[in-house]
Amino acid sequence: MDDKFQQVIKQHHMNYENALLQTIDDNNDSLIGEIEILLKQPPLISMDLLQSKIVMFAKENHVVIALETLQQLIKKYRNATLNDLKNIGQFRKSEIKNLLQKELSDNKSLLEIDDERYQQIDNDFINQLLGNINNNINSIIVPKILSLVNKTDNNKDNNIPIFVSMTEQYLKGDYPEYILEQLKKLVYTKNCTLNNRFKDQESRKKFIEKNSHLLEKKED
């Protein structure tokens, strides 16, 4: 009976670890999906934050810009950033799994997210993504801002330099800051969810172990 019981416990621990690993997969995939929504073009073009801001700067300064060219630039930026996101998302997933497996090796359980230990993973994840966003903005959109200006439809009275300056300031400052705040909210929410899922798995683990021990005593 002892060997059989040990096999049951061993299988239970394997199931517990696999459940935790699957929880990390699901949590991370969900986070990446929500970040993709944040970066993708919205269903209604009028709700496109990037485009609407740049068009607003043009109107404020009476500058006529090529809207189709702007849309192409934003699309190129988004495609590059979304491709980067896939790799960065794998980084977060693998780092959390490594931490999980070390914790299981040391303590046989992982009750919840350790804020101090997980904070570094989250900071690295956010910083990597923001770095890619800034690089893509500065390499894809910023150098082409002046090329958006339709030379034939603008005259000397148009405030083209001011339009360019306002657009650059938004792309390099306000937009990344907005993305950063949204990322922090999404990551915090997902960490809370992951924490609760770990607690559920631990409760299930303890329940099964308790009943396994009761079964062993009963059959003895």
Side-chain angles (χ1 to χ4, degrees):
M1 174 60 191
D2 185 61
D3 289 343
K4 183 178 179 182
F5 175 70
Q6 291 300 323
Q7 290 178 0
V8 170
I9 292 298
K10 184 178 179 181
Q11 183 62 49
H12 168 56
H13 281 293
M14 290 178 59
N15 293 341
Y16 172 66
E17 181 174 351
N18 289 335
L20 292 176
L21 292 172
Q22 184 61 53
T23 297
I24 294 172
D25 282 339
D26 295 342
N27 181 272
N28 196 76
D29 292 347
S30 177
L31 173 63
I32 298 305
E34 292 183 20
I35 295 175
E36 286 179 342
I37 294 174
L38 177 66
L39 296 171
K40 285 180 178 178
Q41 177 178 305
L44 295 177
I45 195 67
S46 60
M47 297 175 62
D48 191 327
L49 180 64
L50 273 173
Q51 179 169 312
S52 63
K53 282 286 186 180
I54 296 174
V55 170
M56 181 186 73
F57 296 146
K59 288 181 177 179
E60 286 180 358
N61 292 284
H62 309 289
V63 174
V64 181
I65 61 174
L67 189 58
E68 185 175 342
T69 303
L70 173 61
Q71 291 172 342
Q72 291 172 352
L73 284 176
I74 294 176
K75 181 179 180 180
K76 186 177 179 181
Y77 150 74
R78 283 186 165 127
N79 288 340
T81 303
L82 289 169
N83 285 333
D84 294 334
L85 176 61
K86 294 177 182 178
N87 294 326
I88 299 171
Q90 287 299 319
F91 160 80
R92 178 181 181 268
K93 182 186 293 187
S94 64
E95 287 296 302
I96 295 178
K97 284 186 174 182
N98 289 339
L99 184 57
L100 162 72
Q101 289 169 327
K102 183 180 185 306
E103 194 77 13
L104 288 176
S105 176
D106 294 343
N107 304 316
K108 307 304 180 187
S109 295
L110 182 67
L111 290 176
E112 61 185 43
I113 293 175
D114 184 321
D115 288 339
E116 291 183 2
R117 299 178 71 181
Y118 275 76
Q119 189 64 48
Q120 187 60 51
I121 296 175
D122 291 333
N123 287 342
D124 289 344
F125 168 74
I126 291 173
N127 288 337
Q128 284 187 42
L129 181 54
L130 275 180
N132 283 85
I133 287 173
N134 286 322
N135 288 338
N136 290 331
I137 285 175
N138 288 320
S139 64
I140 295 172
I141 303 181
V142 170
K144 299 291 185 180
I145 294 175
L146 189 57
S147 68
L148 295 173
V149 178
N150 192 324
K151 295 180 180 178
T152 59
D153 292 331
N154 288 281
N155 53 50
K156 294 180 181 180
D157 294 330
N158 295 102
N159 298 317
I160 295 174
I162 298 178
F163 159 71
V164 172
S165 177
M166 291 175 69
T167 303
E168 284 189 4
Q169 182 178 349
Y170 172 74
L171 292 173
K172 294 181 177 182
D174 293 343
Y175 176 69
E177 287 179 9
Y178 163 77
I179 295 295
L180 174 60
E181 290 305 311
Q182 299 305 309
L183 288 176
K184 286 180 177 178
K185 292 176 184 177
L186 291 175
V187 169
Y188 174 78
T189 300
K190 289 303 173 186
N191 279 353
C192 289
T193 302
L194 189 60
N195 189 27
N196 289 332
R197 291 292 303 276
F198 283 156
K199 288 180 179 179
D200 290 342
Q201 295 292 347
E202 178 66 13
S203 297
R204 187 175 294 113
K205 171 176 173 287
K206 288 182 177 179
F207 175 81
I208 293 174
E209 288 178 348
K210 179 181 178 181
N211 283 274
S212 296
H213 284 294
L214 290 174
L215 178 64
E216 181 193 27
K217 291 180 180 178
K218 182 178 179 181
E219 296 196 4
D220 284 347

